[in-house]
Amino acid sequence: MNNIIENYKKIKASIPELIEMSGYRNDYIAKRMGMKPANFSVKKQRGNWSEDELEMILNAITNPTDDVENFLMLQEMRSLKEDENLTASAFKKEMKWK
């Protein structure tokens, strides 16, 4: 039982460092939690997170959401915008498919 409590304390104490390592900004994590960025910053400084808040933070920094994936896909699409493209019929013709 003491091991569980010690692990919990270590995780709770490591939250600011984990947030920093994740690369996500405070305002993004706050938004994912439904919290105002100012309140998030104060809680981060004080380290007075509830168990539910800790869980939300860990979920936010370890599980990318659709908005992150959509942003990355948009960046990829923009980078390919100038590349040469083929239509499906031109591709089939080039591959000599019927």
Side-chain angles (χ1 to χ4, degrees):
M1 182 66 92
N2 286 340
N3 204 15
I4 294 171
I5 294 169
E6 287 302 314
N7 287 340
Y8 170 77
K9 288 179 181 179
K10 286 179 186 176
I11 291 171
K12 190 171 183 176
S14 299
I15 287 294
E17 186 178 358
L18 291 170
I19 291 169
E20 187 67 31
M21 289 173 51
S22 76
Y24 292 114
R25 294 178 9 180
N26 288 345
D27 59 334
Y28 171 78
I29 298 170
K31 179 181 173 188
R32 292 271 319 266
M33 296 175 65
M35 183 182 288
K36 293 182 180 180
N39 293 347
F40 181 87
S41 293
V42 169
K43 283 188 151 290
K44 184 178 172 185
Q45 288 175 342
R46 294 181 182 164
N48 61 343
W49 305 105
S50 71
E51 288 78 17
D52 289 340
E53 290 168 337
L54 287 174
E55 185 177 2
M56 285 190 278
I57 291 169
L58 292 172
N59 282 331
I61 64 178
T62 59
N63 299 321
T65 62
D66 287 342
D67 57 335
V68 172
E69 291 172 3
N70 289 342
F71 174 78
L72 294 173
M73 179 64 76
L74 179 62
Q75 295 302 90
E76 180 69 19
M77 290 172 66
R78 285 179 178 159
S79 73
L80 298 173
K81 186 176 181 181
E82 301 302 317
D83 286 357
E84 184 179 335
N85 294 304
L86 290 175
T87 64
S89 59
F91 179 73
K92 288 178 182 179
K93 186 176 181 180
E94 189 174 310
M95 296 301 292
K96 298 177 182 167
W97 294 347
K98 291 184 179 186

